[in-house]
Amino acid sequence: MRIGIIGAGNIGATLAGKLVALGHDVVMANSRGPESLMAIAAETGATAAPVSRAADKADIVIIAIPQKAVLDLPRDLFAATAKDCIVIDTGNYYPEWRDGRIEAIENGMVESRWVSQQIGRPVIKIFNSILANSLANEGCQPGAPGRIALPVAGDDAQAKAIVIALVDKLGFDGIDAGCLDESWRQQPGTASYCTDLGSDDLREALKRADRSQAPALRDRGFQQMLQLPKGFSPPILVETLRALFR
């Protein structure tokens, strides 16, 4: 497939390398322009492009940028993109740390529903609930012990099926997490967020998620992360987040 990735942070760059390795034609873009992406493009095999061209002829577009940066995307980003192009949102809302206050989300709209409204396209929520280190290094064959599962939420069943198949090729179990308005169950502050659970445990975590507690747990988890020793390993962060829900 032709896959456009907007955002060259840890998740975007990791996905670029893994998707190219699977044989996909990957185009990367960011707000600083293609010149800033030359090193990542050389390392991953992706092609650097302006944001305005990231969705051209794409089968899938992955938005991997901070929540607040969605407002800066070109209004006509998808003007020439096929209607059946799948748009993936990997983002998370961190109001105190990074994004500032977004009133619609604070008033109850799920994060990816807000993203969908801003870009004028339906989205699939995936890759927001895994650390880049786990995404890069923990993929394995189907049925392998400890295979990590990832929630996939969205309103289009066919699009979700395509994404779940792609997740499987990347080395993870894709779990249908319901419609987009249920994607709050995989947002920061829930037990499915960056805890590297297997399929059965992930389904249980999604089921018992408590929306009323999620914002406070999100902020508590971030504060605990700040207290970790400098240079801590990613597995320590996974264990720290798991401990919030024991």
Side-chain angles (χ1 to χ4, degrees), residues 94-101 218-219 222-223:
Y94 301 106
E96 294 187 4
W97 168 46
R98 182 186 66 190
D99 296 312
R101 185 179 175 91
R218 173 198 64 204
D219 295 342
F222 184 70
Q223 290 302 318

Side-chain angles (χ1 to χ4, degrees), residues 130-144:
I130 186 169
L131 297 173
N133 178 76
S134 296
L135 181 61
N137 300 310
E138 300 300 328
C140 55
Q141 293 298 315

Side-chain angles (χ1 to χ4, degrees), residues 29-204:
N30 68 2
S31 61
R32 297 182 298 279
E35 296 80 10
S36 69
L37 294 171
M38 291 306 167
I40 293 177
E43 180 180 349
T44 63
T47 300
V51 171
S52 61
R53 304 301 300 275
D56 289 2
K57 300 180 180 178
D59 299 296
I60 295 177
V61 174
I62 300 172
I63 299 176
I65 58 179
Q67 197 91 32
K68 66 179 181 180
V70 170
L71 294 170
D72 299 325
L73 292 173
R75 295 295 94 185
D76 59 350
L77 177 62
F78 296 102
T81 307
K83 293 297 183 183
D84 60 353
C85 173
I86 297 170
V87 182
I88 290 174
D89 173 33
T90 76
N92 289 305
Y93 175 54
Y94 301 106
E96 294 187 4
W97 168 46
R98 182 186 66 190
D99 296 312
R101 185 179 175 91
I102 297 175
E103 290 300 326
I105 297 175
E106 294 291 340
N107 291 332
M109 183 178 292
V110 298
E111 298 167 9
S112 286
R113 181 66 68 188
W114 180 84
V115 171
S116 178
Q117 287 193 359
Q118 304 316 304
I119 66 174
R121 284 279 181 133
V123 303
I124 302 295
K125 182 80 162 188
I126 173 64
F127 302 123
N128 73 298
S129 63
I130 186 169
L131 297 173
N133 178 76
S134 296
L135 181 61
N137 300 310
E138 300 300 328
C140 55
Q141 293 298 315
R147 195 180 204 223
I148 296 170
L150 301 178
V152 183
D155 298 330
D156 185 324
Q158 182 177 356
K160 279 196 292 188
I162 292 170
V163 172
I164 287 172
L166 182 62
V167 169
D168 178 69
K169 294 292 186 183
L170 290 169
F172 304 91
D173 289 335
I175 302 299
D176 189 333
C179 66
L180 194 64
D181 286 333
E182 290 295 305
S183 65
W184 64 267
R185 297 180 182 275
Q186 66 198 73
Q187 291 175 182
T190 66
S192 63
Y193 175 72
C194 295
T195 47
D196 288 359
L197 301 176
S199 296
D200 291 342
D201 288 338
L202 176 61
R203 290 188 179 95
E204 178 60 28

